[in-house]
Amino acid sequence: MEAVYSIIPAGVLSQVFVGLSRTTILFIVASGLTLILGVLRIPNVAHGSLYMIGAFTAFTVTKLSGGGSAGFWIALVIAPLIVALISLIAERGMFQFLYEREHLMLLLLTFAFSLVFGDLVKLVWGGEYKSVPVPHIFQGFVPLFGGLPFPLYNLFLLLAGPVVAILLYLLTNKTKMGKIARAAAVDREMVGAVGINVSRVFATVFVIGCYLAGLGGVLVAPTVSVTLGMDHNLIIEAFLIVIMGGLGNIWGALLGALIFGLTQSLGILIWPKFGIIFPYLAVVVVLLFRPTGLLKSTW
Amino acid sequence: MSRQTILGLGAGIIVLLLFPVFLPRFYVYLVSIILLYGLLATSLNLVLGYGGIFQFHHAVFYGVGAYGTTLMLTKTGLPPMLAFIVGPLASAAFGLVIGIICIRLSKLYFGMLQISLGSLVWAIVYRWYSFTGGDDGIHGIPIPEMLSSPKSAYYYTLIITLASLFVMWKIIRSPFGSALQGIRDNPVRSEMIGINVRMHQLLALVLAGFFAGVAGSLFVVVDNTVFPDMLFWTLSLEILIMCLLGGWFTFLGPMLGAAVIVALRTFVSAYTDYWALVLGIIMMLVILFLPNGILGYVEEKFKRGFMEPEIEGQ
């Protein structure tokens, strides 16, 4: 460890870990986006709004349960489910009638939903900053590599990322549902022809994807101030990640999130004011060499 | 064009010319805004409706044009009128850059990447206080004397908008325009008969960027301000809805859509802060019940070809 520490300055190392914790959130949200993209072929612009709703719901749930440590864990269970429920209503109420229509219309519909959700959040929660307390057992710091303090909660995030990745892998590759969904991504007509209710498969995938957006929102809530506008930043980042990784590829989302999180956190060290440019540069470079993303996309 | 359409257009132009005579100042301002948004939406329609390119972040070009004009006016000592050419040229150049980066990608990739890159431009404008004024924007831009009164600003906007619309109409009717529509309908076949698909699309992007920049420079004349929200994503959505509401595949549809949306926004904003909610609901209703827009619907009802007979069957 001493050797590592002597080669890499402490600031860089701590930024790497900050970037990795950010990667977790980005991956969880982007994997939901890419899942929907892969199977339903909708770039769900409202995904960011669902993430925001997840974060705001987490705030309310934590507050209602007394603001104690248990609140966060209850929110972690309930808030993504509420988001999933909202998405289910949207899907059954509107999206399902448009699957036969042009692609552009579906996309514009998600735009419309992002506008509506954004204003509904403003209506329900108001424009002020909200904060969600870090759960009790994850308060404080752990020393990392020669006494570098690292928030315990971020360590929890670092563990949560791989867990979600593995669960998603199992869901899409090992269950019948996942196999049907992947088949529907390739040829939805054929899947329908062998007697499977494609519409229901689509609804399930859509809801799972949106659940992940909500989950990301809850997990991020203790680390940032929950505010209007967090949807916009995130959807742009998630888009870039999915583009880099390859549309519809979950491992691509992981890879893209890693590149994005690290270029972002290290970019700030290089050029504090405009560090935001570096992830974009990474995307441009990736696309120059691989116009369809790093990993194979489903379509 | 039939004689009726020419008469109708002529009458419309005369009414527009007479507006400042009998309308109060606020409405003159409102009509100027409608005109320049109509121009902006028409330029989007050039790439999206006629070109079939998923230009999702069109507002960036509008913003670049406005900021280009403004920075030229405030930071340099060059002749002011030059700024109104430099702004649009800056947007056209930016369109070229975005085009070169994005054009090889498939449709959806193109749209998604464009949204992202456009947001980067927004973020830079938003933070670069010393150059762009940051989130305050730039106010009280020194406009050349001859354009500074509301009336002259109105007439300037009207003339430039009409001229730009005329040029775009000619572009769509030109061989280039036909090729572009051919590419939209069947890119593979267009390529087979020897059309350079990428070149045509790139040129369409540059042209659309240019006219969006013109709209941006008009906003500077009418409002004397620029602010980062001009490049923000919500505005792109608003322009998209204008096209959708008026009718994608008609030439004057976007102008009509712009009139409806701008007027609605002005009056709804007077009563409530929740304009985005209203806009979203309008958008959903249009998507569900009026997918071809108002003019598209009219065209369907009166099959005789209201504006553009050759685009039927879309």
Side-chain angles (χ1 to χ4, degrees), chain A residues 43 45 94 101 105 107-109 111-112 116 119 122-123 232 236 240 243 247 273 280 287-288 291-292 299, chain B residues 56 104-105 108-109 112-113 115-116 119-120 123 127 232-233 237 273-274 276-277 280 283-284 287-288 291:
Chain A
V45 180
M94 265 196 202
R101 289 260 208 95
M105 291 297 170
L107 187 100
L108 289 172
L109 191 64
F111 271 139
V116 169
D119 256 12
K122 192 159 91 177
L123 200 67
H232 175 256
I236 300 295
L240 287 172
I243 291 170
L247 300 189
K273 201 172 171 197
Y280 288 87
L287 288 178
L288 280 182
T292 54
W299 50 302
Chain B
F56 289 146
R104 293 180 307 145
L105 310 175
L108 264 181
Y109 266 98
M112 290 164 73
L113 186 62
I115 291 178
S116 308
S119 299
L120 173 65
R127 287 166 190 222
F232 198 57
W233 193 42
L237 287 189
D273 284 339
Y274 297 99
L277 184 66
M283 200 164 167
M284 286 178 187
I287 291 168
L288 286 175

Side-chain angles (χ1 to χ4, degrees), chain B residues 34-218:
Chain B
I34 287 177
L35 283 172
L36 70 92
Y37 270 104
L39 172 59
L40 182 59
T42 310
S43 69
L44 172 63
N45 201 30
L46 184 70
V47 273
L48 189 69
Y50 290 97
I53 302 167
F54 282 8
Q55 175 103 329
F56 289 146
H57 209 335
H58 198 58
V60 167
F61 300 99
Y62 171 67
V64 167
Y67 269 96
T69 308
T70 306
L71 292 173
M72 182 90 182
L73 282 171
T74 52
K75 307 256 163 175
T76 66
L78 296 168
M81 285 321 277
L82 209 60
F84 297 105
I85 303 163
V86 170
L89 283 180
S91 321
F94 184 63
L96 185 68
V97 173
I98 290 270
I100 288 171
I101 297 174
C102 305
I103 203 77
R104 293 180 307 145
L105 310 175
S106 69
K107 269 188 166 184
L108 264 181
Y109 266 98
F110 179 94
M112 290 164 73
L113 186 62
Q114 201 195 31
I115 291 178
S116 308
L117 289 176
S119 299
L120 173 65
V121 176
W122 172 78
I124 292 173
V125 168
Y126 194 82
R127 287 166 190 222
W128 201 350
Y129 274 91
S130 55
F131 190 57
T132 61
D135 62 348
D136 301 330
I138 301 170
H139 300 275
I141 300 160
I143 302 295
E145 193 117 345
M146 54 179 286
L147 295 178
S148 56
S149 83
K151 253 185 206 177
S152 52
Y154 173 79
Y155 282 118
Y156 178 72
T157 309
L158 181 62
I159 291 166
I160 297 290
T161 303
L162 288 177
S164 307
L165 285 182
F166 179 72
V167 173
M168 276 193 268
W169 169 256
K170 281 287 171 203
I171 289 172
I172 288 164
R173 284 308 180 89
S174 71
F176 166 76
S178 308
L180 197 63
Q181 291 171 57
I183 293 168
R184 172 195 69 198
D185 294 335
N186 196 335
V188 178
R189 191 184 288 176
S190 307
E191 188 126 39
M192 291 295 278
I193 58 172
I195 295 173
N196 189 338
V197 171
R198 295 278 172 259
M199 243 11 229
H200 276 71
Q201 289 180 330
L202 199 57
L203 186 56
L205 280 176
V206 171
L207 286 170
F210 179 81
F211 286 111
V214 171
S217 74
L218 290 178

Side-chain angles (χ1 to χ4, degrees), chain A residues 133-275:
Chain A
V134 176
H136 211 69
I137 55 166
F138 291 130
Q139 276 168 6
F141 296 85
V142 278
L144 209 72
F145 305 130
L148 206 67
F150 187 67
L152 205 54
Y153 184 76
N154 287 25
L155 210 61
F156 162 66
L157 285 183
L158 287 185
L159 294 176
V163 170
V164 171
I166 291 166
L167 284 180
L168 259 182
Y169 170 77
L170 292 177
L171 185 72
T172 51
N173 287 280
K174 300 293 173 195
T175 65
K176 192 178 171 198
M177 168 68 217
K179 285 174 185 169
I180 292 173
R182 282 191 301 142
V186 179
D187 191 340
R188 65 179 79 173
E189 274 177 26
M190 198 60 215
V191 170
V194 296
I196 289 165
N197 187 341
V198 178
S199 174
R200 194 173 295 163
V201 174
F202 278 10
T204 315
V205 171
F206 190 80
V207 169
I208 291 173
C210 295
Y211 174 89
L212 288 168
L215 184 65
V218 180
L219 285 174
V220 84
T223 63
V224 295
S225 46
V226 178
T227 161
L228 292 170
M230 65 191 287
D231 56 340
H232 175 256
N233 288 336
L234 185 100
I235 191 65
I236 300 295
E237 290 172 357
F239 269 10
L240 287 172
I241 287 164
V242 168
I243 291 170
M244 264 197 284
L247 300 189
N249 190 317
I250 287 168
W251 297 116
L254 183 59
L255 195 58
L258 261 176
I259 297 176
F260 197 97
L262 289 179
T263 46
Q264 194 177 40
S265 58
L266 292 176
I268 288 170
L269 284 183
I270 300 169
W271 193 5
K273 201 172 171 197
F274 290 111

Side-chain angles (χ1 to χ4, degrees), chain A residues 14-39:
Chain A
S14 103
Q15 276 305 104
V16 167
F17 276 93
V18 168
L20 286 176
S21 346
R22 182 75 190 145
T23 298
T24 308
I25 303 289
L26 290 173
F27 163 69
I28 291 173
V29 179
S31 64
L33 186 69
T34 210
L35 197 67
I36 298 176
L37 248 172
V39 179

Side-chain angles (χ1 to χ4, degrees), chain A residues 41-88:
Chain A
R41 321 224 148 173
I42 308 174
N44 184 15
V45 180
H47 212 69
S49 316
L50 293 168
Y51 159 86
M52 179 166 74
I53 293 174
F56 272 98
T57 313
F59 163 77
T60 302
V61 171
T62 335
K63 208 174 152 201
L64 285 181
S65 51
S69 190
F72 176 79
W73 301 110
I74 298 171
L76 190 60
V77 176
I78 292 180
L81 287 177
I82 291 176
V83 171
L85 185 69
I86 293 171
S87 69
L88 182 69

